[in-house]
Amino acid sequence: MAVYNFNAGPAVLPKSVMLKAQEEFVDYRGCGYGIIEESHRAKPFEEVIQAAEANFRSLLNISDDYAVLFLQGGASLQFAMVPMNLAIPGKKIGFCDTGEWSHKAIKEAKILGNEIDMIYDGSADKFSHIDGIANWKFDKNLAYAHICSNNTIYGSQYLIYPNTGDVPLIADMSSDFMSRPFDINKFGLVFAGAQKNIGPAGATVVIMRKDLAARCPSTVPTMLRYTTHIDQGSLFNTPSTFGIYMIRLVTDWLVGLGGLPAIQAMNEAKAGKLYAAIDACKFYRGTVDKGSRSLMNVTFRIKEGDEDLEKKFVAEAKAAGLIGLKGHRAVGGLRASIYNAMPAEGIDALVEFMNAFAKANG
Amino acid sequence: MAVYNFNAGPAVLPKSVMLKAQEEFVDYRGCGYGIIEESHRAKPFEEVIQAAEANFRSLLNISDDYAVLFLQGGASLQFAMVPMNLAIPGKKIGFCDTGEWSHKAIKEAKILGNEIDMIYDGSADKFSHIDGIANWKFDKNLAYAHICSNNTIYGSQYLIYPNTGDVPLIADMSSDFMSRPFDINKFGLVFAGAQKNIGPAGATVVIMRKDLAARCPSTVPTMLRYTTHIDQGSLFNTPSTFGIYMIRLVTDWLVGLGGLPAIQAMNEAKAGKLYAAIDACKFYRGTVDKGSRSLMNVTFRIKEGDEDLEKKFVAEAKAAGLIGLKGHRAVGGLRASIYNAMPAEGIDALVEFMNAFAKANG
């Protein structure tokens, strides 16, 4: 039986990448031991981290004004590192609240004593859409403005990005990073935990305008300063070496596919097919309005939220090899996370299962 | 040709662990995909993290008064997290300076505004020994006292631990953690980057007395508070799941060997043979005094530090399959890191090479 992994992250990785990593796991390209055992200061690993950075620079057309950093701690640590480094005393931080991960970022900014300017608050509509992005207004005195580009839990996604003028735009892209093209020059800093689209958990990618790093006050610990990692090429201390190796393989795979326009087309086709199946059948209901639907995390419910039937759906899907379809515990319902590495066959199998389940239980 | 990896970390992992991880890399125990792709909230990974914790509790006889945490960021982040969480306003922090990694810990405590009480300073003797540990005096008003149990760069190691009375003793055990038995009840907190003795880079193990976590002020970001990770069983956010999986396999291997007394005997035999070879040959000189020599990082020089000959040694050793013998860039010379997973055959091969090199160049 084919198994498809719809987990929200850590998540499915490209099959060819998994096989390559397995093949060279105990003997990396003839060196006699695994890359996981290699010194982060040795040539084979230097080559890995440089290739990974070069892939990001090429896929996103990143100029030398920006640093590409490989850090640890996930988005959750970035929620603290961003204000620790980029807040400015006396200035507010702008936030656009589109769900759970925005809340967490806001919480950390407040713990650090910052005042918040809430640019957008989607809570009244239970985060079922992201509205009027083109008209959002950002006070020019903000230290920076923070968005979460894709909301893994609610299943909504920015289809366009706001115009913040001269205010640096910071984006938590954890769950849609490298799933579609974007113009890095519109951002001050983007960050992403690797474990959705680009690699395993424990590696975090930060791409930032180098000049912003100068804001960091001297009271911030060395490991939590972006300047440390910019100056040391992400090798101030031992990074997640195997994680970076996997990111290198995944980004090699992305380059081989034809880059971000190619993966975007594939993602649009996969998500399009799944949303069409949901919309075509009265048994299911998408939880996010058209126009804000995520290409990565497809959230839906059965009828008016029949929880028993949803449990049955999750269990029967699992028995059929379709894993991880339970919605996040904060919102319930169902969710299919269909990141870059989810093959089209996985979508076909899910749609087939959904139709059969609706017929049997509708 | 057999290859032996003497890198200081990331470092050699047990061969049986590497083969097991390779075998199940793309299909973890029949689930149809790899553990690296599994959700950190799913049963297979829950079982992994629980088994890893149980292994530590069993190997070190850890009571419920202590938490076992799987974090990220390595020792370098702990240098900041420890004072962020455990410093007490108005109280000094005691430090015992035995080399580079002590300095780094001191630096972070100072950045955070703490006053330091230097209990021991080994710099006058270039950190070639750790003297009089049993007589070190700790002011009872210290917030805590910090030591580095094994000095990877200088090759010295605490053979006994100081008595700090009621002052919590904090130990950076990155490079000798789980290489010998120790009484966890003598410590307030120990931490270790995994990449020497217990797994891959990117996972960090912290074992701490739970009551100490209450000291943490409310201004510390959520990810940097020990309470967060104690309360959430290291699953507040996505941890380094593959790293924890590897730690589980390595600690399974340790249990299978007979635990810490068994690995200690093996480490003493390996290091004993290597130091004996150094001492028996006038061509080489150990850089650390007997009585403070590390069982993990064996540092030595050729004659009076003939750097050209040392370069030749490193190059010829590499050609003979003995990798990573260059001393740390801060001190030069030669270093063989012989962690738990270095097989006895690696020591034999190194000793044989050293004798032949001395004969040819002496």
Side-chain angles (χ1 to χ4, degrees), chain A residues 331-345:
Chain A
V331 297
L334 303 166
R335 174 178 56 179
S337 295
I338 53 171
Y339 299 118
N340 286 355
M342 172 59 63
E345 294 78 14

Side-chain angles (χ1 to χ4, degrees), chain B residues 17-275:
Chain B
V17 164
M18 289 295 290
L19 290 169
K20 175 90 174 163
Q22 181 181 44
E23 183 197 326
E24 59 193 23
F25 192 77
V26 301
D27 184 7
Y28 179 70
R29 303 180 188 190
C31 87
Y33 49 91
I35 192 76
I36 203 169
E37 301 172 288
E38 181 61 284
S39 169
H40 59 303
R41 311 263 177 219
K43 280 223 171 65
F45 182 73
E46 273 178 17
E47 195 189 285
V48 164
I49 194 168
Q50 284 164 9
E53 176 172 345
N55 281 344
F56 284 114
R57 289 197 179 274
S58 140
L59 287 161
L60 287 166
N61 196 20
I62 303 170
S63 79
D64 279 348
D65 293 341
Y66 284 76
V68 177
L69 307 177
F70 299 95
L71 306 183
Q72 299 183 54
S76 296
L77 188 56
Q78 292 306 306
F79 295 160
M81 273 183 74
V82 170
M84 286 173 105
N85 282 265
L86 305 186
I88 296 175
K91 293 198 173 193
K92 290 183 180 177
I93 300 171
F95 274 96
C96 307
D97 184 4
T98 54
E100 198 86 354
W101 297 103
S102 312
H103 308 165
K104 295 203 178 197
I106 292 167
K107 183 184 167 199
E108 297 310 311
K110 285 183 176 170
I111 285 175
L112 289 160
N114 295 288
E115 263 197 276
I116 302 307
D117 189 4
M118 197 70 88
I119 309 291
Y120 173 82
D121 180 351
S123 62
D125 303 309
K126 291 184 182 167
F127 305 109
S128 58
H129 50 76
I130 308 174
D131 264 2
I133 299 170
N135 302 318
W136 292 355
K137 298 278 175 255
F138 295 82
D139 184 321
K140 66 181 183 350
N141 285 315
L142 293 173
Y144 63 85
H146 176 114
I147 63 169
C148 177
S149 61
N150 182 76
N151 302 287
T152 325
I153 292 176
Y154 289 96
S156 64
Q157 187 176 25
Y158 284 73
L159 299 195
I160 59 165
Y161 289 120
N163 180 358
T164 57
D166 289 335
V167 173
L169 178 58
I170 312 297
D172 171 4
M173 289 196 177
S174 290
S175 54
D176 67 355
F177 185 55
M178 306 308 279
S179 70
R180 57 180 179 178
F182 67 94
D183 181 0
I184 187 69
N185 300 303
K186 291 197 173 154
F187 295 86
L189 183 154
V190 306
F191 61 85
Q195 71 272 15
K196 318 283 189 181
N197 272 312
I198 54 164
T204 310
V205 174
V206 172
I207 305 175
M208 70 179 295
R209 252 175 53 202
K210 289 179 195 166
D211 64 306
L212 291 175
R215 290 186 182 184
C216 187
S218 61
T219 48
V220 171
T222 308
M223 268 295 281
L224 299 169
R225 306 172 67 88
Y226 291 120
T227 46
T228 299
H229 305 290
I230 295 173
D231 293 349
Q232 303 284 328
S234 305
L235 293 170
F236 167 70
N237 74 331
T238 318
S240 173
T241 54
F242 191 73
I244 296 168
Y245 158 77
M246 291 296 290
I247 290 174
R248 184 256 176 101
L249 293 187
V250 173
T251 50
D252 279 351
W253 171 81
L254 267 179
V255 169
L257 283 181
L260 298 180
I263 197 76
Q264 180 181 34
M266 292 163 70
N267 286 329
E268 285 173 349
K270 288 188 294 178
K273 192 179 272 187
L274 191 46
Y275 283 118

Side-chain angles (χ1 to χ4, degrees), chain A residues 5 7 10-11 13 18 22 25 33 36-38 40 72-73 76 80 108 195 200-202 221-223 237-239 323, chain B residues 5 7 10-11 13 18 22 25 33 36-38 40 72-73 76 80 108 111 195 200-202 221-223 237-239 323:
Chain A
N5 171 10
N7 278 315
L13 291 166
M18 289 295 290
Q22 180 181 44
F25 192 78
Y33 49 90
I36 202 170
E37 301 172 287
E38 181 60 283
H40 59 303
Q72 299 183 52
S76 295
E108 298 309 312
Q195 70 272 14
T222 310
M223 269 293 283
N237 74 332
T238 319
I323 311 294
Chain B
N5 169 10
N7 277 316
L13 291 166
M18 289 295 290
Q22 181 181 44
F25 192 77
Y33 49 91
I36 203 169
E37 301 172 288
E38 181 61 284
H40 59 303
Q72 299 183 54
S76 296
E108 297 310 311
I111 285 175
Q195 71 272 15
T222 308
M223 268 295 281
N237 74 331
T238 318
I323 311 293

Side-chain angles (χ1 to χ4, degrees), chain A residues 40-294:
Chain A
H40 59 303
R41 311 263 176 220
K43 280 222 173 64
F45 181 73
E46 272 178 19
E47 193 189 285
V48 164
I49 195 169
Q50 284 164 9
E53 176 173 343
N55 281 344
F56 285 115
R57 289 197 181 273
S58 138
L59 287 161
L60 286 166
N61 196 18
I62 302 170
S63 79
D64 280 347
D65 293 342
Y66 284 76
V68 177
L69 307 176
F70 299 95
L71 307 182
Q72 299 183 52
S76 295
L77 187 56
Q78 291 307 306
F79 295 161
M81 273 182 76
V82 170
M84 286 173 105
N85 282 266
L86 305 187
I88 296 175
K91 292 198 173 194
K92 291 183 179 177
I93 300 170
F95 275 95
C96 307
D97 185 4
T98 54
E100 199 84 356
W101 298 104
S102 311
H103 307 165
K104 295 203 178 195
I106 292 166
K107 183 183 166 200
E108 298 309 312
K110 286 184 175 169
I111 285 175
L112 289 160
N114 295 289
E115 261 197 277
I116 301 306
D117 188 5
M118 197 69 88
I119 309 290
Y120 174 81
D121 180 351
S123 63
D125 302 309
K126 293 184 179 165
F127 304 108
S128 58
H129 49 76
I130 308 173
D131 264 2
I133 298 170
N135 302 317
W136 293 355
K137 297 277 174 256
F138 296 82
D139 184 322
K140 67 180 184 347
N141 285 315
L142 293 173
Y144 62 85
H146 177 115
I147 63 169
C148 177
S149 61
N150 182 75
N151 301 287
T152 326
I153 292 175
Y154 289 96
S156 64
Q157 187 175 25
Y158 284 72
L159 299 197
I160 58 164
Y161 290 119
N163 180 357
T164 57
D166 289 335
V167 173
L169 178 59
I170 313 296
D172 172 4
M173 290 196 177
S174 289
S175 54
D176 67 356
F177 185 55
M178 306 308 280
S179 70
R180 57 179 178 177
F182 67 94
D183 181 0
I184 187 67
N185 300 305
K186 292 197 173 154
F187 296 86
L189 184 154
V190 307
F191 61 85
Q195 70 272 14
K196 318 285 188 180
N197 273 312
I198 53 163
T204 310
V205 174
V206 172
I207 305 175
M208 71 179 294
R209 249 175 54 201
K210 290 179 194 166
D211 65 305
L212 290 175
R215 290 188 181 183
C216 186
S218 61
T219 48
V220 171
T222 310
M223 269 293 283
L224 300 169
R225 306 171 68 87
Y226 291 121
T227 46
T228 300
H229 305 291
I230 295 173
D231 293 348
Q232 303 284 327
S234 303
L235 292 170
F236 168 70
N237 74 332
T238 319
S240 175
T241 53
F242 191 72
I244 295 167
Y245 159 75
M246 291 296 289
I247 289 173
R248 184 256 175 101
L249 293 187
V250 172
T251 50
D252 279 350
W253 171 81
L254 267 178
V255 169
L257 283 180
L260 298 179
I263 198 75
Q264 180 180 36
M266 292 164 70
N267 286 329
E268 284 173 350
K270 289 188 294 176
K273 193 179 271 188
L274 190 47
Y275 283 118
I278 291 167
D279 292 340
C281 175
K282 284 185 184 154
F283 186 76
Y284 301 106
R285 176 175 61 81
T287 59
V288 173
D289 300 350
K290 287 172 195 175
S292 300
R293 285 173 164 182
S294 170

